[in-house]
C-alpha cells in the first residue's frame, strides 16, 4: 500500500467510469489517501458518514459531531464526483437487500517513479493478553460508573457470570481498565453470545465494536441512550442499584 499508488490508480478509474459518487470504507487507509484523492478532483471527502439518504434529488450525508452527541445532515455541493467514507457497522449486513452490479476489471498504469514512499514490513501488534473476540460473555463498563473506585461492582458481575470485562474508550483512556479491553472502532471488535453494557451511552464508535453480539443487554438510566437501539433487553435504571441486585440474583441461581 502507498497513498500515491492508490490515489493514482483510483483517479484513473473514477475518470474512466465518470463516477458521480465514490463510496469508500472509513478505514485507516482511506483516511490516509481519501482526502488526497478527492483533492485531485478539486473537492473534499465527506468522512465518517453513518447514513446516506436522497432528499429532493440531493444526497444527504449524516455525520456525527461533538464526539457523537449530535448528528449533522451534510449536503455536498459543486460538480461530481463526490467522495464519501462510511463508518464500519453503520449499516447492518443482515438487513441489506441483494442487488446486482456488473464487476469490471481495471488495470491501472502506474509509474514507479511517481510513488514517493517505500513501505517496509507491516507493523505487527504485540500479542494480546486478552482476546475479547473469542469470549462467550462480556460485561462492559462505561462512564456511567463515574469513579475508578466503583469498578469492583461491575467486575463482580463479570465474575459471577464467568464473563470477560470490557470497557468503553473513556474508561480505558483514564487508565481504569487496560487498553486491550477497549471495545469499539479503535479497540476490539467482539461478537459474544452475551454483551452486557453497563453505563455505556452507545456512541457509534462503541457500537461498531459490539453490534454483532448475539444478545445485547444494556443498563442505562437514560431511556433515550442510543445503546437501547441495538439492545435486545434494556434496563432503564441506576446501575448502582441494578448491578448489585443482578449479582445477588445470579448468586442465588448459581447456588
Ligand atoms: P458516555 O457517552 O459519557 O455515556 C455514559 C452513559 O452512562 C450515559 O448514557 C449515561 O446515561 C449513563 N449513566 C450515567 N450514570 C448512570 C447510572 N448511575 N446508572 C446507569 N447509567 C448511567 N468509544 C468506545 O467506546 N470505543 C472506541 O473504540 C472508540 N473509538 C473512538 C474513536 C474516535 C476517532 C472517536 C472520535 C471516538 C471514539 N470513541 C470510542 C468515543 C465515543 O465517541 C464515545 O465518546 C464513548 O464511547 C463514550 O463512552 P461511554 O458510553 O462510556 O460514556
Amino acid at each position: 500500500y502507498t497513498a500515491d499508488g492508490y490515489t493514482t490508480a483510483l483517479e484513473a478509474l473514477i475518470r474512466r467510469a465518470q463516477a458521480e459518487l465514490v463510496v469508500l470504507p472509513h478505514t485507516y487507509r482511506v483516511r490516509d489517501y481519501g482526502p488526497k484523492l478527492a483533492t485531485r478532483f478539486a473537492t473534499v471527502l465527506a468522512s465518517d458518514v453513518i447514513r446516506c439518504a436522497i432528499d429532493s434529488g440531493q444526497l444527504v450525508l449524516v455525520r456525527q459531531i461533538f464526539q457523537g452527541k449530535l448528528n449533522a445532515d451534510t449536503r455536498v455541493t459543486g460538480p461530481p464526483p463526490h467522495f464519501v467514507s462510511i463508518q464500519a457497522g453503520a449499516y447492518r449486513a443482515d438487513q441489506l437487500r441483494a442487488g446486482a452490479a456488473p464487476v469490471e476489471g481495471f488495470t491501472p498504469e502506474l509509474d514507479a517513479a511517481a510513488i514517493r514512499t517505500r513501505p517496509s514490513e507491516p507493523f505487527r501488534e504485540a500479542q494480546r493478553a486478552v482476546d475479547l473476540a473469542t469470549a462467550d460473555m462480556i460485561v462492559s463498563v462505561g462512564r456511567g460508573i463515574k469513579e475508578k473506585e466503583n469498578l469492583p461492582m461491575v467486575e463482580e458481575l463479570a465474575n459471577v457470570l464467568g464473563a470477560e470485562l470490557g470497557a468503553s474508550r473513556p474508561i480505558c483512556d483514564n487508565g481504569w481498565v487496560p487498553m486491550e479491553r477497549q471495545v469499539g472502532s479503535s479497540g476490539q471488535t467482539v461478537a459474544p453470545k452475551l454483551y452486557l453494557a453497563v453505563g455505556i451511552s452507545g456512541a457509534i464508535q462503541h457500537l461498531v465494536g459490539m453490534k454483532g453480539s448475539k444478545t445485547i443487554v444494556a443498563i442505562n438510566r437514560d431511556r433515550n441512550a442510543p445503546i437501547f437501539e441495538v439492545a435486545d433487553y434494556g434496563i432503564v435504571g441506576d446501575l448502582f442499584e441494578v448491578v448489585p441486585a443482578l449479582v445477588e440474583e445470579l448468586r442465588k441461581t448459581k447456588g
Side-chain angles (χ1 to χ4, degrees), residues 143 146 168-169 182-183 185-186 201 205-206 220 238-239:
R143 202 144 52 177
K146 294 193 175 61
S168 67
R169 179 164 161 172
Q182 181 183 316
V183 173
S185 60
S186 47
S201 60
Q205 294 88 358
H206 188 83
N220 197 305
D238 186 343
L239 71 90

Side-chain angles (χ1 to χ4, degrees), residues 100-113:
V103 178
E104 290 171 36
F106 174 70
T107 309
E109 277 178 30
L110 291 178
D111 174 7

Side-chain angles (χ1 to χ4, degrees), residues 31 48 64 67-69 141-146 167-171 182-188 198-208 219-222 225-227 237-240:
R31 282 179 229 190
D48 210 354
Q64 295 197 315
Q67 295 254 344
K69 293 269 181 279
V141 58
R143 202 144 52 177
I145 196 71
K146 294 193 175 61
S168 67
R169 179 164 161 172
I171 299 295
Q182 181 183 316
V183 173
S185 60
S186 47
Q188 295 207 47
V198 181
I200 293 180
S201 60
I204 184 80
Q205 294 88 358
H206 188 83
L207 296 188
V208 298
I219 305 171
N220 197 305
R221 67 176 178 192
D222 173 9
I227 191 80
D238 186 343
L239 71 90
F240 295 98

